[in-house]
Amino acid sequence: MKTTDLCDQFPDRVHVCEIFFQSFGKRKMFSGEIYTVRVFEDNVLVKQALETIPAGSVLVVDGGGSKKCALLGDRLAGIAVNRGLSGIIVHGCIRDSADIAQLDIGVLALGTNPRKSRKEGKGETNIPVSFAGVDWEPGHYVYVDEDGVIVASEQLVLGE
């Protein structure tokens, strides 16, 4: 579903993300139920979430906007593809961007950094996080395409 159509039909039910993320995955349009992880320069919980959240969902990673290392690379993105996830949104950086561009998944991030993250397992999962002017609540829905990113508290269906 196009974000423009959803904004037009549900203007009071959608929240538009204020940051323009870069798109790295092969899928430019994706949507799904939100699952969250809050970490800082440590991606252990990102991997755990990718291995456990349901197919069709979107993992939202609040990395605090850090650009000092990558929170996602081709191996973790491959886990998401193999498990049938719809996409990953990283408020931080990724690496292996050329490889991720070949994977059938949506991946948004602030940019790239070749440095890998720490592996300490620190952070929180499945909690509300806020960045880019949006509250990302587990169980809410995100819709992404070339025009932007929007969040709604419920699954939206055009023509309702």
Side-chain angles (χ1 to χ4, degrees):
M1 282 182 268
K2 291 174 55 176
T3 57
T4 53
D5 293 341
L6 291 170
C7 283
D8 290 350
Q9 185 168 339
F10 305 105
D12 299 328
R13 291 165 61 185
V14 300
H15 302 278
V16 178
C17 187
E18 295 173 358
I19 290 179
F20 288 102
F21 290 92
Q22 294 180 53
S23 180
F24 293 98
K26 190 185 257 187
R27 274 190 212 165
K28 303 305 177 199
M29 177 184 278
F30 63 95
S31 64
E33 185 175 353
I34 294 170
Y35 287 79
T36 64
V37 173
R38 180 187 293 142
V39 295
F40 189 74
E41 298 175 6
D42 180 336
N43 74 350
V44 170
L45 296 180
V46 174
K47 182 180 182 203
Q48 288 176 1
L50 292 171
E51 292 173 335
T52 57
I53 66 174
S57 55
V58 176
L59 181 62
V60 175
V61 179
D62 182 358
S66 174
K67 294 185 177 180
K68 293 181 180 178
C69 67
L71 295 173
L72 179 83
D74 61 339
R75 288 193 353 226
L76 294 188
I79 291 170
V81 170
N82 291 336
R83 295 206 56 254
L85 303 186
S86 181
I88 307 163
I89 299 173
V90 181
H91 186 224
C93 289
I94 67 156
R95 65 186 206 162
D96 304 313
S97 61
D99 296 320
I100 289 173
Q102 304 304 312
L103 298 176
D104 186 23
I105 191 163
V107 176
L108 299 182
L110 297 177
T112 61
N113 187 315
R115 184 181 310 274
K116 68 181 181 178
S117 72
R118 295 188 304 261
K119 309 289 186 230
E120 298 172 1
K122 295 179 180 177
E124 299 174 273
T125 60
N126 219 28
I127 59 159
V129 297
S130 295
F131 59 86
V134 172
D135 294 327
W136 306 83
E137 299 271 350
H140 287 191
Y141 287 80
V142 61
Y143 301 87
V144 177
D145 65 14
E146 297 86 349
D147 290 319
V149 178
I150 61 173
V151 173
S153 62
E154 59 196 354
Q155 191 169 17
L156 302 176
V157 179
L158 289 173
E160 281 184 345

